[in-house]
Amino acid sequence: MNQVDRRSFLADSIRTVGTVALAGAAGVLVGRTGSAEPMVWQLDPDKCIACTNCATKCVLDVSAVKCINCFDMCGYCDICTGYFEMGYTALDTAAENQACPTGAIVRRFIEERSGQRFYEYTIDVPLCIGCGKCVKGCALMNGSLYMQVEHDRCLDCNECAIAIACPTQAFYRIPASQTEIMKRKAIAALRSRAQRTLQAAGGDAVGRREAAELLARLDQQQRWRAEQERLDTSAGRQAAVSNDQA
């Protein structure tokens, strides 16, 4: 019998056991609601290493994975390492100075305070190819740029080609009602904003409702992460047992 590489076996075991565990969780959902909620593919930005597979492995001509900017984390920097190429020659919008190969990041001046200039960086989604160059650059600063699957573009393949190629197994099937997987730091930043908004809202019903909706969205994210960590831990233990028995 051919010798099985221990590391490969462990990785395959974790993937298999994790799938079984997720199927079990889906079964619980069916039992509670009477019908299974649709599941969609999504990317965990805390596991993403911006490897470029999202741009090259998607079955679509232009990847369904796009960059987003969590503005609550963004520093609105003049010298944005997600926007500018490392070897830029000037702080302007010339193509040779931009890290993005398609010019999908829009740089807009906001204000100047105490001699510091601040800019807003937004994503021109149709131009984004999911290469992750901006994500890798932004990681050197605030890390506000990260990748997510856009579900109005995703074909929701039974087996996602990007997920199969992902070196960190950062892709998950999540409930369609959740749609996203936020960065942990984004959850913290958004929760801080929601709490400030709630305190400042006073009798403003609209403001209080918006803050409450955001807090509910963040609670959903934290519940998903807690459950996924439980499943990953369980899968790792079962894979280790299987590996020891092999």
PDB file of all heavy atoms in Angstrom, residues 89-122:
ATOM      1  N   THR A  89       5.789  56.743  -7.785  1.00  0.00           N
ATOM      2  CA  THR A  89       6.664  57.901  -8.014  1.00  0.00           C
ATOM      3  C   THR A  89       5.989  59.213  -7.633  1.00  0.00           C
ATOM      4  O   THR A  89       6.652  60.234  -7.487  1.00  0.00           O
ATOM      5  CB  THR A  89       7.097  57.975  -9.487  1.00  0.00           C
ATOM      6  OG1 THR A  89       5.933  58.034 -10.322  1.00  0.00           O
ATOM      7  CG2 THR A  89       7.918  56.744  -9.861  1.00  0.00           C
ATOM      8  N   ALA A  90       4.650  59.182  -7.490  1.00  0.00           N
ATOM      9  CA  ALA A  90       3.916  60.386  -7.106  1.00  0.00           C
ATOM     10  C   ALA A  90       2.589  59.977  -6.486  1.00  0.00           C
ATOM     11  O   ALA A  90       2.038  58.918  -6.800  1.00  0.00           O
ATOM     12  CB  ALA A  90       3.680  61.287  -8.320  1.00  0.00           C
ATOM     13  N   LEU A  91       2.078  60.824  -5.591  1.00  0.00           N
ATOM     14  CA  LEU A  91       0.797  60.534  -4.945  1.00  0.00           C
ATOM     15  C   LEU A  91      -0.340  61.072  -5.808  1.00  0.00           C
ATOM     16  O   LEU A  91      -1.042  62.025  -5.458  1.00  0.00           O
ATOM     17  CB  LEU A  91       0.750  61.165  -3.553  1.00  0.00           C
ATOM     18  CG  LEU A  91       1.775  60.642  -2.539  1.00  0.00           C
ATOM     19  CD1 LEU A  91       1.646  61.379  -1.213  1.00  0.00           C
ATOM     20  CD2 LEU A  91       1.591  59.138  -2.325  1.00  0.00           C
ATOM     21  N   ASP A  92      -0.513  60.437  -6.959  1.00  0.00           N
ATOM     22  CA  ASP A  92      -1.602  60.825  -7.847  1.00  0.00           C
ATOM     23  C   ASP A  92      -2.273  59.577  -8.396  1.00  0.00           C
ATOM     24  O   ASP A  92      -1.934  58.463  -8.016  1.00  0.00           O
ATOM     25  CB  ASP A  92      -1.093  61.729  -8.982  1.00  0.00           C
ATOM     26  CG  ASP A  92      -0.008  61.067  -9.820  1.00  0.00           C
ATOM     27  OD1 ASP A  92      -0.055  59.822 -10.008  1.00  0.00           O
ATOM     28  OD2 ASP A  92       0.898  61.773 -10.294  1.00  0.00           O
ATOM     29  N   THR A  93      -3.228  59.759  -9.271  1.00  0.00           N
ATOM     30  CA  THR A  93      -4.032  58.633  -9.763  1.00  0.00           C
ATOM     31  C   THR A  93      -3.494  58.024 -11.060  1.00  0.00           C
ATOM     32  O   THR A  93      -4.199  57.254 -11.707  1.00  0.00           O
ATOM     33  CB  THR A  93      -5.491  59.085  -9.985  1.00  0.00           C
ATOM     34  OG1 THR A  93      -5.507  60.176 -10.914  1.00  0.00           O
ATOM     35  CG2 THR A  93      -6.123  59.531  -8.681  1.00  0.00           C
ATOM     36  N   ALA A  94      -2.261  58.357 -11.425  1.00  0.00           N
ATOM     37  CA  ALA A  94      -1.672  57.762 -12.628  1.00  0.00           C
ATOM     38  C   ALA A  94      -1.620  56.248 -12.502  1.00  0.00           C
ATOM     39  O   ALA A  94      -1.333  55.715 -11.429  1.00  0.00           O
ATOM     40  CB  ALA A  94      -0.277  58.326 -12.857  1.00  0.00           C
ATOM     41  N   ALA A  95      -1.906  55.547 -13.580  1.00  0.00           N
ATOM     42  CA  ALA A  95      -2.003  54.089 -13.555  1.00  0.00           C
ATOM     43  C   ALA A  95      -0.735  53.427 -13.044  1.00  0.00           C
ATOM     44  O   ALA A  95      -0.792  52.420 -12.329  1.00  0.00           O
ATOM     45  CB  ALA A  95      -2.341  53.576 -14.964  1.00  0.00           C
ATOM     46  N   GLU A  96       0.426  53.995 -13.395  1.00  0.00           N
ATOM     47  CA  GLU A  96       1.687  53.367 -12.989  1.00  0.00           C
ATOM     48  C   GLU A  96       1.922  53.444 -11.483  1.00  0.00           C
ATOM     49  O   GLU A  96       2.772  52.739 -10.940  1.00  0.00           O
ATOM     50  CB  GLU A  96       2.869  54.003 -13.726  1.00  0.00           C
ATOM     51  CG  GLU A  96       3.086  55.472 -13.448  1.00  0.00           C
ATOM     52  CD  GLU A  96       2.362  56.378 -14.428  1.00  0.00           C
ATOM     53  OE1 GLU A  96       1.386  55.913 -15.059  1.00  0.00           O
ATOM     54  OE2 GLU A  96       2.770  57.554 -14.558  1.00  0.00           O
ATOM     55  N   ASN A  97       1.174  54.298 -10.788  1.00  0.00           N
ATOM     56  CA  ASN A  97       1.330  54.426  -9.339  1.00  0.00           C
ATOM     57  C   ASN A  97       0.317  53.590  -8.556  1.00  0.00           C
ATOM     58  O   ASN A  97       0.428  53.476  -7.340  1.00  0.00           O
ATOM     59  CB  ASN A  97       1.195  55.891  -8.919  1.00  0.00           C
ATOM     60  CG  ASN A  97       2.324  56.749  -9.470  1.00  0.00           C
ATOM     61  OD1 ASN A  97       3.465  56.306  -9.532  1.00  0.00           O
ATOM     62  ND2 ASN A  97       2.004  57.956  -9.892  1.00  0.00           N
ATOM     63  N   GLN A  98      -0.668  53.018  -9.245  1.00  0.00           N
ATOM     64  CA  GLN A  98      -1.726  52.274  -8.576  1.00  0.00           C
ATOM     65  C   GLN A  98      -1.384  50.783  -8.462  1.00  0.00           C
ATOM     66  O   GLN A  98      -0.894  50.176  -9.410  1.00  0.00           O
ATOM     67  CB  GLN A  98      -3.052  52.418  -9.333  1.00  0.00           C
ATOM     68  CG  GLN A  98      -3.579  53.841  -9.370  1.00  0.00           C
ATOM     69  CD  GLN A  98      -4.919  53.916 -10.063  1.00  0.00           C
ATOM     70  OE1 GLN A  98      -5.802  53.089  -9.854  1.00  0.00           O
ATOM     71  NE2 GLN A  98      -5.088  54.929 -10.910  1.00  0.00           N
ATOM     72  N   ALA A  99      -1.690  50.214  -7.302  1.00  0.00           N
ATOM     73  CA  ALA A  99      -1.473  48.783  -7.098  1.00  0.00           C
ATOM     74  C   ALA A  99      -2.493  47.952  -7.872  1.00  0.00           C
ATOM     75  O   ALA A  99      -2.175  46.874  -8.366  1.00  0.00           O
ATOM     76  CB  ALA A  99      -1.546  48.438  -5.616  1.00  0.00           C
ATOM     77  N   CYS A 100      -3.730  48.449  -7.967  1.00  0.00           N
ATOM     78  CA  CYS A 100      -4.786  47.701  -8.646  1.00  0.00           C
ATOM     79  C   CYS A 100      -4.519  47.651 -10.146  1.00  0.00           C
ATOM     80  O   CYS A 100      -4.384  48.696 -10.794  1.00  0.00           O
ATOM     81  CB  CYS A 100      -6.149  48.351  -8.387  1.00  0.00           C
ATOM     82  SG  CYS A 100      -7.510  47.491  -9.212  1.00  0.00           S
ATOM     83  N   PRO A 101      -4.457  46.458 -10.745  1.00  0.00           N
ATOM     84  CA  PRO A 101      -4.144  46.348 -12.175  1.00  0.00           C
ATOM     85  C   PRO A 101      -5.260  46.831 -13.090  1.00  0.00           C
ATOM     86  O   PRO A 101      -5.025  47.082 -14.271  1.00  0.00           O
ATOM     87  CB  PRO A 101      -3.899  44.841 -12.368  1.00  0.00           C
ATOM     88  CG  PRO A 101      -4.701  44.192 -11.290  1.00  0.00           C
ATOM     89  CD  PRO A 101      -4.613  45.132 -10.110  1.00  0.00           C
ATOM     90  N   THR A 102      -6.475  46.981 -12.552  1.00  0.00           N
ATOM     91  CA  THR A 102      -7.600  47.426 -13.385  1.00  0.00           C
ATOM     92  C   THR A 102      -8.115  48.799 -12.998  1.00  0.00           C
ATOM     93  O   THR A 102      -9.120  49.268 -13.533  1.00  0.00           O
ATOM     94  CB  THR A 102      -8.765  46.413 -13.302  1.00  0.00           C
ATOM     95  OG1 THR A 102      -9.229  46.343 -11.943  1.00  0.00           O
ATOM     96  CG2 THR A 102      -8.336  45.039 -13.765  1.00  0.00           C
ATOM     97  N   GLY A 103      -7.459  49.452 -12.048  1.00  0.00           N
ATOM     98  CA  GLY A 103      -7.900  50.775 -11.607  1.00  0.00           C
ATOM     99  C   GLY A 103      -9.265  50.749 -10.933  1.00  0.00           C
ATOM    100  O   GLY A 103     -10.058  51.691 -11.066  1.00  0.00           O
ATOM    101  N   ALA A 104      -9.526  49.678 -10.174  1.00  0.00           N
ATOM    102  CA  ALA A 104     -10.852  49.499  -9.575  1.00  0.00           C
ATOM    103  C   ALA A 104     -11.046  50.252  -8.262  1.00  0.00           C
ATOM    104  O   ALA A 104     -12.147  50.240  -7.712  1.00  0.00           O
ATOM    105  CB  ALA A 104     -11.114  48.007  -9.344  1.00  0.00           C
ATOM    106  N   ILE A 105      -9.990  50.890  -7.751  1.00  0.00           N
ATOM    107  CA  ILE A 105     -10.129  51.657  -6.514  1.00  0.00           C
ATOM    108  C   ILE A 105     -10.202  53.143  -6.852  1.00  0.00           C
ATOM    109  O   ILE A 105      -9.316  53.675  -7.525  1.00  0.00           O
ATOM    110  CB  ILE A 105      -8.958  51.400  -5.547  1.00  0.00           C
ATOM    111  CG1 ILE A 105      -8.819  49.906  -5.251  1.00  0.00           C
ATOM    112  CG2 ILE A 105      -9.158  52.184  -4.251  1.00  0.00           C
ATOM    113  CD1 ILE A 105      -7.682  49.565  -4.321  1.00  0.00           C
ATOM    114  N   VAL A 106     -11.261  53.786  -6.383  1.00  0.00           N
ATOM    115  CA  VAL A 106     -11.472  55.209  -6.651  1.00  0.00           C
ATOM    116  C   VAL A 106     -10.988  56.008  -5.444  1.00  0.00           C
ATOM    117  O   VAL A 106     -11.447  55.792  -4.322  1.00  0.00           O
ATOM    118  CB  VAL A 106     -12.961  55.498  -6.926  1.00  0.00           C
ATOM    119  CG1 VAL A 106     -13.165  56.995  -7.193  1.00  0.00           C
ATOM    120  CG2 VAL A 106     -13.461  54.663  -8.098  1.00  0.00           C
ATOM    121  N   ARG A 107     -10.060  56.918  -5.681  1.00  0.00           N
ATOM    122  CA  ARG A 107      -9.483  57.755  -4.618  1.00  0.00           C
ATOM    123  C   ARG A 107     -10.107  59.140  -4.689  1.00  0.00           C
ATOM    124  O   ARG A 107     -10.029  59.821  -5.709  1.00  0.00           O
ATOM    125  CB  ARG A 107      -7.963  57.831  -4.788  1.00  0.00           C
ATOM    126  CG  ARG A 107      -7.218  58.619  -3.718  1.00  0.00           C
ATOM    127  CD  ARG A 107      -5.726  58.538  -3.979  1.00  0.00           C
ATOM    128  NE  ARG A 107      -4.941  59.036  -2.852  1.00  0.00           N
ATOM    129  CZ  ARG A 107      -4.221  60.138  -2.855  1.00  0.00           C
ATOM    130  NH1 ARG A 107      -4.173  60.899  -3.941  1.00  0.00           N
ATOM    131  NH2 ARG A 107      -3.526  60.504  -1.787  1.00  0.00           N
ATOM    132  N   ARG A 108     -10.736  59.579  -3.580  1.00  0.00           N
ATOM    133  CA  ARG A 108     -11.422  60.871  -3.570  1.00  0.00           C
ATOM    134  C   ARG A 108     -11.014  61.673  -2.347  1.00  0.00           C
ATOM    135  O   ARG A 108     -11.090  61.179  -1.223  1.00  0.00           O
ATOM    136  CB  ARG A 108     -12.939  60.659  -3.571  1.00  0.00           C
ATOM    137  CG  ARG A 108     -13.760  61.943  -3.678  1.00  0.00           C
ATOM    138  CD  ARG A 108     -15.232  61.620  -3.885  1.00  0.00           C
ATOM    139  NE  ARG A 108     -15.825  61.028  -2.697  1.00  0.00           N
ATOM    140  CZ  ARG A 108     -16.409  61.745  -1.726  1.00  0.00           C
ATOM    141  NH1 ARG A 108     -16.445  63.070  -1.808  1.00  0.00           N
ATOM    142  NH2 ARG A 108     -16.950  61.138  -0.684  1.00  0.00           N
ATOM    143  N   PHE A 109     -10.570  62.901  -2.582  1.00  0.00           N
ATOM    144  CA  PHE A 109     -10.166  63.779  -1.481  1.00  0.00           C
ATOM    145  C   PHE A 109     -11.369  64.119  -0.610  1.00  0.00           C
ATOM    146  O   PHE A 109     -12.442  64.466  -1.111  1.00  0.00           O
ATOM    147  CB  PHE A 109      -9.539  65.060  -2.033  1.00  0.00           C
ATOM    148  CG  PHE A 109      -9.209  66.071  -0.979  1.00  0.00           C
ATOM    149  CD1 PHE A 109      -8.163  65.867  -0.092  1.00  0.00           C
ATOM    150  CD2 PHE A 109      -9.967  67.236  -0.855  1.00  0.00           C
ATOM    151  CE1 PHE A 109      -7.855  66.802   0.889  1.00  0.00           C
ATOM    152  CE2 PHE A 109      -9.661  68.170   0.118  1.00  0.00           C
ATOM    153  CZ  PHE A 109      -8.605  67.954   0.995  1.00  0.00           C
ATOM    154  N   ILE A 110     -11.184  64.036   0.727  1.00  0.00           N
ATOM    155  CA  ILE A 110     -12.261  64.331   1.665  1.00  0.00           C
ATOM    156  C   ILE A 110     -12.036  65.667   2.364  1.00  0.00           C
ATOM    157  O   ILE A 110     -12.876  66.568   2.319  1.00  0.00           O
ATOM    158  CB  ILE A 110     -12.400  63.216   2.726  1.00  0.00           C
ATOM    159  CG1 ILE A 110     -12.717  61.881   2.064  1.00  0.00           C
ATOM    160  CG2 ILE A 110     -13.479  63.583   3.749  1.00  0.00           C
ATOM    161  CD1 ILE A 110     -14.044  61.856   1.339  1.00  0.00           C
ATOM    162  N   GLU A 111     -10.899  65.805   3.025  1.00  0.00           N
ATOM    163  CA  GLU A 111     -10.641  67.034   3.761  1.00  0.00           C
ATOM    164  C   GLU A 111      -9.169  67.105   4.154  1.00  0.00           C
ATOM    165  O   GLU A 111      -8.421  66.129   4.033  1.00  0.00           O
ATOM    166  CB  GLU A 111     -11.502  67.095   5.030  1.00  0.00           C
ATOM    167  CG  GLU A 111     -11.211  65.985   6.020  1.00  0.00           C
ATOM    168  CD  GLU A 111     -12.034  66.109   7.286  1.00  0.00           C
ATOM    169  OE1 GLU A 111     -12.613  67.189   7.526  1.00  0.00           O
ATOM    170  OE2 GLU A 111     -12.083  65.121   8.057  1.00  0.00           O
ATOM    171  N   GLU A 112      -8.776  68.273   4.651  1.00  0.00           N
ATOM    172  CA  GLU A 112      -7.441  68.462   5.196  1.00  0.00           C
ATOM    173  C   GLU A 112      -7.583  68.993   6.610  1.00  0.00           C
ATOM    174  O   GLU A 112      -8.316  69.961   6.864  1.00  0.00           O
ATOM    175  CB  GLU A 112      -6.639  69.425   4.340  1.00  0.00           C
ATOM    176  CG  GLU A 112      -5.206  69.615   4.839  1.00  0.00           C
ATOM    177  CD  GLU A 112      -4.341  70.415   3.882  1.00  0.00           C
ATOM    178  OE1 GLU A 112      -4.769  70.608   2.730  1.00  0.00           O
ATOM    179  OE2 GLU A 112      -3.248  70.836   4.301  1.00  0.00           O
ATOM    180  N   ARG A 113      -6.882  68.338   7.554  1.00  0.00           N
ATOM    181  CA  ARG A 113      -6.923  68.767   8.950  1.00  0.00           C
ATOM    182  C   ARG A 113      -5.508  68.760   9.510  1.00  0.00           C
ATOM    183  O   ARG A 113      -4.789  67.777   9.373  1.00  0.00           O
ATOM    184  CB  ARG A 113      -7.788  67.828   9.812  1.00  0.00           C
ATOM    185  CG  ARG A 113      -9.253  67.822   9.489  1.00  0.00           C
ATOM    186  CD  ARG A 113     -10.074  67.233  10.655  1.00  0.00           C
ATOM    187  NE  ARG A 113      -9.549  65.969  11.128  1.00  0.00           N
ATOM    188  CZ  ARG A 113      -9.977  64.789  10.729  1.00  0.00           C
ATOM    189  NH1 ARG A 113     -10.914  64.692   9.804  1.00  0.00           N
ATOM    190  NH2 ARG A 113      -9.453  63.676  11.236  1.00  0.00           N
ATOM    191  N   SER A 114      -5.113  69.864  10.129  1.00  0.00           N
ATOM    192  CA  SER A 114      -3.790  69.980  10.761  1.00  0.00           C
ATOM    193  C   SER A 114      -2.670  69.569   9.806  1.00  0.00           C
ATOM    194  O   SER A 114      -1.712  68.900  10.191  1.00  0.00           O
ATOM    195  CB  SER A 114      -3.742  69.111  12.024  1.00  0.00           C
ATOM    196  OG  SER A 114      -4.753  69.485  12.926  1.00  0.00           O
ATOM    197  N   GLY A 115      -2.821  69.963   8.549  1.00  0.00           N
ATOM    198  CA  GLY A 115      -1.800  69.674   7.555  1.00  0.00           C
ATOM    199  C   GLY A 115      -1.855  68.269   6.975  1.00  0.00           C
ATOM    200  O   GLY A 115      -1.040  67.919   6.127  1.00  0.00           O
ATOM    201  N   GLN A 116      -2.811  67.450   7.436  1.00  0.00           N
ATOM    202  CA  GLN A 116      -2.954  66.093   6.943  1.00  0.00           C
ATOM    203  C   GLN A 116      -4.112  66.022   5.948  1.00  0.00           C
ATOM    204  O   GLN A 116      -5.199  66.549   6.204  1.00  0.00           O
ATOM    205  CB  GLN A 116      -3.226  65.127   8.104  1.00  0.00           C
ATOM    206  CG  GLN A 116      -2.090  65.001   9.098  1.00  0.00           C
ATOM    207  CD  GLN A 116      -0.880  64.305   8.506  1.00  0.00           C
ATOM    208  OE1 GLN A 116      -1.015  63.334   7.769  1.00  0.00           O
ATOM    209  NE2 GLN A 116       0.303  64.797   8.835  1.00  0.00           N
ATOM    210  N   ARG A 117      -3.869  65.373   4.817  1.00  0.00           N
ATOM    211  CA  ARG A 117      -4.899  65.210   3.786  1.00  0.00           C
ATOM    212  C   ARG A 117      -5.518  63.819   3.910  1.00  0.00           C
ATOM    213  O   ARG A 117      -4.793  62.824   4.065  1.00  0.00           O
ATOM    214  CB  ARG A 117      -4.288  65.419   2.395  1.00  0.00           C
ATOM    215  CG  ARG A 117      -3.801  66.836   2.165  1.00  0.00           C
ATOM    216  CD  ARG A 117      -2.979  66.962   0.896  1.00  0.00           C
ATOM    217  NE  ARG A 117      -3.752  66.650  -0.296  1.00  0.00           N
ATOM    218  CZ  ARG A 117      -4.524  67.534  -0.930  1.00  0.00           C
ATOM    219  NH1 ARG A 117      -4.642  68.779  -0.471  1.00  0.00           N
ATOM    220  NH2 ARG A 117      -5.180  67.187  -2.006  1.00  0.00           N
ATOM    221  N   PHE A 118      -6.838  63.768   3.814  1.00  0.00           N
ATOM    222  CA  PHE A 118      -7.561  62.505   3.974  1.00  0.00           C
ATOM    223  C   PHE A 118      -8.344  62.178   2.707  1.00  0.00           C
ATOM    224  O   PHE A 118      -8.962  63.066   2.102  1.00  0.00           O
ATOM    225  CB  PHE A 118      -8.502  62.570   5.179  1.00  0.00           C
ATOM    226  CG  PHE A 118      -7.772  62.736   6.486  1.00  0.00           C
ATOM    227  CD1 PHE A 118      -7.524  64.010   7.013  1.00  0.00           C
ATOM    228  CD2 PHE A 118      -7.323  61.633   7.194  1.00  0.00           C
ATOM    229  CE1 PHE A 118      -6.846  64.161   8.202  1.00  0.00           C
ATOM    230  CE2 PHE A 118      -6.629  61.782   8.387  1.00  0.00           C
ATOM    231  CZ  PHE A 118      -6.393  63.054   8.893  1.00  0.00           C
ATOM    232  N   TYR A 119      -8.311  60.887   2.349  1.00  0.00           N
ATOM    233  CA  TYR A 119      -8.950  60.428   1.123  1.00  0.00           C
ATOM    234  C   TYR A 119      -9.865  59.234   1.410  1.00  0.00           C
ATOM    235  O   TYR A 119      -9.596  58.420   2.301  1.00  0.00           O
ATOM    236  CB  TYR A 119      -7.894  60.005   0.095  1.00  0.00           C
ATOM    237  CG  TYR A 119      -7.119  61.160  -0.484  1.00  0.00           C
ATOM    238  CD1 TYR A 119      -6.040  61.716   0.199  1.00  0.00           C
ATOM    239  CD2 TYR A 119      -7.454  61.708  -1.717  1.00  0.00           C
ATOM    240  CE1 TYR A 119      -5.318  62.780  -0.322  1.00  0.00           C
ATOM    241  CE2 TYR A 119      -6.740  62.767  -2.254  1.00  0.00           C
ATOM    242  CZ  TYR A 119      -5.679  63.303  -1.554  1.00  0.00           C
ATOM    243  OH  TYR A 119      -4.971  64.361  -2.083  1.00  0.00           O
ATOM    244  N   GLU A 120     -10.924  59.165   0.632  1.00  0.00           N
ATOM    245  CA  GLU A 120     -11.832  58.015   0.700  1.00  0.00           C
ATOM    246  C   GLU A 120     -11.510  57.083  -0.466  1.00  0.00           C
ATOM    247  O   GLU A 120     -11.304  57.527  -1.598  1.00  0.00           O
ATOM    248  CB  GLU A 120     -13.287  58.475   0.609  1.00  0.00           C
ATOM    249  CG  GLU A 120     -14.293  57.337   0.692  1.00  0.00           C
ATOM    250  CD  GLU A 120     -15.716  57.836   0.558  1.00  0.00           C
ATOM    251  OE1 GLU A 120     -16.120  58.205  -0.571  1.00  0.00           O
ATOM    252  OE2 GLU A 120     -16.427  57.875   1.578  1.00  0.00           O
ATOM    253  N   TYR A 121     -11.480  55.774  -0.175  1.00  0.00           N
ATOM    254  CA  TYR A 121     -11.165  54.774  -1.190  1.00  0.00           C
ATOM    255  C   TYR A 121     -12.358  53.826  -1.343  1.00  0.00           C
ATOM    256  O   TYR A 121     -12.702  53.087  -0.422  1.00  0.00           O
ATOM    257  CB  TYR A 121      -9.913  53.987  -0.787  1.00  0.00           C
ATOM    258  CG  TYR A 121      -8.683  54.861  -0.680  1.00  0.00           C
ATOM    259  CD1 TYR A 121      -8.358  55.487   0.521  1.00  0.00           C
ATOM    260  CD2 TYR A 121      -7.873  55.097  -1.786  1.00  0.00           C
ATOM    261  CE1 TYR A 121      -7.249  56.313   0.625  1.00  0.00           C
ATOM    262  CE2 TYR A 121      -6.761  55.920  -1.699  1.00  0.00           C
ATOM    263  CZ  TYR A 121      -6.456  56.532  -0.482  1.00  0.00           C
ATOM    264  OH  TYR A 121      -5.352  57.356  -0.398  1.00  0.00           O
ATOM    265  N   THR A 122     -12.984  53.905  -2.491  1.00  0.00           N
ATOM    266  CA  THR A 122     -14.138  53.051  -2.765  1.00  0.00           C
ATOM    267  C   THR A 122     -13.816  52.109  -3.925  1.00  0.00           C
ATOM    268  O   THR A 122     -12.927  52.385  -4.743  1.00  0.00           O
ATOM    269  CB  THR A 122     -15.383  53.887  -3.106  1.00  0.00           C
ATOM    270  OG1 THR A 122     -15.080  54.761  -4.209  1.00  0.00           O
ATOM    271  CG2 THR A 122     -15.818  54.717  -1.915  1.00  0.00           C
TER     272      THR A 122
END
